[in-house]
Amino acid sequence: MKFETSLSFAQQLNAADPLKSFRDKFIIPEANGKQKIYFLGNSLGLQPKSANNYIQQILSDWASLGVESFFHAKEPWMDYHEKLVHPLSKVVGALPNEVVVMNQLTVNLHLMLVSFYDPNAKRYKIICEAKAFPSDQYAFETHVRNKGFDPASAIIEVAPRDGEYTLRTEDIISSIEKHGDETALVLFGGINYYTGQFFDLEKITRAAIAAGAKVGFDLAHAAGNVELHLHDWDVDFACWCTYKYLNSGPGAIGGAFIHEKHHKESLPRFAGWWGYDKPTRFKMEKGFKAMPGAEGWQLSTPGMFLYAAHRAALEIVEEASWDKILSKQKLLTGYLWFLLEEINSSSAKKNIVFITPRNEKERGCQVSMLMLENGKDIYNGLMKEGIFTDWREPNVIRLAPVPLYNSFEEVWKFAETFKNLIG
Ligand SMILES: *Cc1c(COP(=O)(O)O)cnc(C)c1O
């Protein structure tokens, strides 16, 4: 599509947007009766209005039936998991029995490392991106130590070349090839939280498999944001949080994917009673017997309030349809890029260095901009105008318009304000 800079063009895009009514399903932050422009769906997605009802339902089941709610609530708690897994499996491109909703992201990352980082004297390395999210770094480092290896030699970080901000796929692949015989696990973010770069997960997976290593992804910034085909790509495992693009609330319940090909193997795992074979779980017998599929990795009694909030958010995804969300994501972010590039090329200072890749296959909603001058003032100026973006030291502004509740007109208004602040 050929974009234009006028307000009326933004309004035309809004009018033609098949998802425009979905904004009303969310609570948009406001002050003095005026809605803010919220571009922080990459950090904490907004609240679905329906979350309140679903959480209230759990409270009232609990009040009227107590523990009997597991079996006798209008929607029995025992089967609630199934309402989540179906829409989620579409979002991550998996079979329903490859997906489990449980715990939180860092916990799930640890559980996956227990199962898929099984080093020996020859194969013990983990290949990952340099500057992975800190929690991920800590998880890798502690597992490596726990297995008796030294993180300094066992963790191989692939970094951008000098003067570049993002990783080249060829460099990732050549690192996997170079360390192939010694690599136990290749573990990348799906999308890097800082740069917004969407890695080529399919190619990384192929290279890891060719090297004889296991391969997994942390999809915190990818799940609910970009198109994924975990099953078809033959990824071993993945995990994600659901409070970012999946709008399921602060500290929301996390998710994990374990490829079907591993369901029959006896991988090492840390077990709990909720992962025990479902029909016989309540016999409470000695000796762990896993449920078939990804659910066999569950540990604990599910957090029903978290389930309820997640369900509210996933129902909206289902109603909107994942394909339409992806199409709007491309259009909305493409439009933002167009306006930002216009601003940068028409200003004398060329104050913006884009660190997110321009190519739509290498990014999702997020745009990260390194500001050469006055970054903090520009960020504060946006805040003052009711536009939420995110500031990362030393000088990066990140923003992410999301398809379910952001509009083309909001992107336009942001761009106008930004242009004036840049001067
Ligand atoms: C957001 C994020 C986390 C946060 O982990 P929690 O356990 O949910 O606090 C971890 N890793 C990545 C890559 C993230 O983007």
Side-chain angles (χ1 to χ4, degrees):
M1 179 180 288
K2 198 169 171 327
F3 294 120
E4 295 170 25
T5 53
S6 64
L7 172 59
S8 63
F9 184 77
Q11 289 165 336
Q12 280 170 35
L13 288 174
N14 264 3
D17 173 11
L19 298 185
K20 61 176 177 285
S21 65
F22 280 80
R23 179 178 170 83
D24 296 336
K25 295 183 185 290
F26 292 86
I27 302 174
I28 312 292
E30 45 180 77
N32 308 320
K34 196 166 167 275
Q35 287 187 335
K36 306 254 188 193
I37 295 181
Y38 189 81
F39 286 155
L40 290 177
N42 56 339
S43 189
L44 179 65
L46 291 181
Q47 183 182 146
K49 289 178 181 163
S50 54
N52 192 4
N53 287 343
Y54 286 132
I55 291 171
Q56 286 297 332
Q57 184 61 49
I58 303 293
L59 280 168
S60 81
D61 292 343
W62 180 23
S64 57
L65 294 167
V67 72
E68 291 290 300
S69 307
F70 274 98
F71 298 99
H72 300 304
K74 196 169 86 207
E75 298 178 303
W77 295 353
M78 206 63 194
D79 307 326
Y80 214 91
H81 196 258
E82 287 152 27
K83 296 185 201 308
L84 311 172
V85 159
H86 183 75
L88 252 187
S89 61
K90 270 216 169 125
V91 168
V92 298
L95 304 175
N97 73 344
E98 291 174 322
V99 169
V100 58
V101 175
M102 59 181 188
N103 312 314
Q104 286 173 293
L105 173 54
T106 306
V107 175
N108 288 336
L109 192 55
H110 279 295
L111 292 179
M112 295 300 107
L113 283 162
V114 166
S115 293
F116 292 97
Y117 178 59
D118 193 14
N120 57 44
K122 186 152 178 287
R123 257 187 204 280
Y124 59 94
K125 292 185 177 172
I126 296 181
I127 300 188
C128 61
E129 81 233 61
K131 300 203 177 136
F133 193 88
S135 203
D136 302 40
Q137 295 183 36
Y138 309 148
F140 305 162
E141 176 190 318
T142 47
H143 276 266
V144 163
R145 274 214 190 87
N146 187 46
K147 295 284 187 177
F149 296 93
D150 176 7
S153 56
I155 298 180
I156 307 297
E157 294 185 345
V158 187
R161 295 187 187 183
D162 280 347
E164 298 185 6
Y165 297 99
T166 51
L167 293 179
R168 296 193 190 194
T169 305
E170 67 209 77
D171 291 353
I172 300 174
I173 305 298
S174 70
S175 180
I176 295 171
E177 286 168 354
K178 182 173 153 209
H179 298 277
D181 292 347
E182 299 169 335
T183 301
L185 178 63
V186 175
L187 182 41
F188 274 73
I191 290 184
N192 181 275
Y193 78 100
Y194 191 80
T195 64
Q197 180 180 16
F198 180 20
F199 298 116
D200 190 331
L201 307 191
E202 188 177 11
K203 282 205 182 123
I204 295 174
T205 302
R206 235 184 283 143
I209 291 173
K214 291 285 194 299
V215 55
F217 298 106
D218 178 337
L219 302 177
H221 280 262
N225 179 9
V226 288
E227 188 170 347
L228 298 166
H229 298 281
L230 298 178
H231 177 86
D232 290 346
W233 293 339
D234 220 11
V235 172
D236 290 307
F237 71 91
C239 41
W240 55 89
C241 55
T242 66
Y243 49 82
K244 292 172 180 165
Y245 294 98
L246 287 167
N247 308 317
S248 301
I253 199 153
F257 161 90
I258 295 124
H259 198 284
E260 174 180 55
K261 67 189 174 189
H262 297 299
H263 293 184
K264 293 217 165 66
E265 297 168 12
S266 55
L267 290 169
R269 75 173 97 182
F270 285 171
W273 79 311
W274 221 257
Y276 194 92
D277 179 51
K278 207 167 171 182
T280 54
R281 181 186 297 154
F282 290 99
K283 288 190 175 168
M284 315 291 237
E285 283 176 346
K286 195 176 163 67
F288 179 70
K289 200 166 108 195
M291 252 171 112
E295 286 179 82
W297 269 262
Q298 294 176 107
L299 299 179
S300 291
T301 314
M304 293 307 303
F305 301 122
L306 301 182
Y307 266 15
H310 195 22
R311 175 206 182 166
L314 289 173
E315 268 186 3
I316 297 175
V317 171
E318 238 182 348
E319 200 187 328
S321 106
W322 180 230
D323 289 345
K324 283 195 187 137
I325 294 172
L326 285 172
S327 306
K328 181 171 171 189
Q329 186 263 85
K330 291 190 181 129
L331 197 60
L332 190 66
T333 325
Y335 178 56
L336 170 64
W337 272 90
F338 163 77
L339 293 176
L340 287 172
E341 285 178 335
E342 285 286 309
I343 293 169
N344 208 32
S345 62
S346 61
S347 84
K349 290 188 203 142
K350 309 278 177 286
N351 191 358
I352 313 171
V353 177
F354 295 101
I355 59 178
T356 306
R358 177 68 176 98
N359 175 356
E360 76 173 25
K361 290 199 170 70
E362 295 175 58
R363 57 174 165 80
C365 298
Q366 179 178 317
V367 180
S368 304
M369 298 180 285
L370 191 131
M371 307 304 298
L372 298 180
E373 280 175 38
N374 305 332
K376 198 66 189 270
D377 295 338
I378 294 167
Y379 163 78
N380 286 331
L382 288 168
M383 254 333 209
K384 234 168 84 195
E385 294 299 317
I387 301 172
F388 284 98
T389 61
D390 163 292
W391 176 253
R392 290 281 143 169
E393 293 297 340
N395 47 16
V396 169
I397 292 176
R398 300 186 309 169
L399 66 149
V402 304
L404 276 174
Y405 51 78
N406 288 127
S407 70
F408 295 91
E409 200 170 329
E410 284 181 304
V411 168
W412 185 86
K413 279 187 198 151
F414 157 77
E416 277 298 293
T417 313
F418 189 64
K419 183 166 75 186
N420 293 334
L421 289 166
I422 274 198

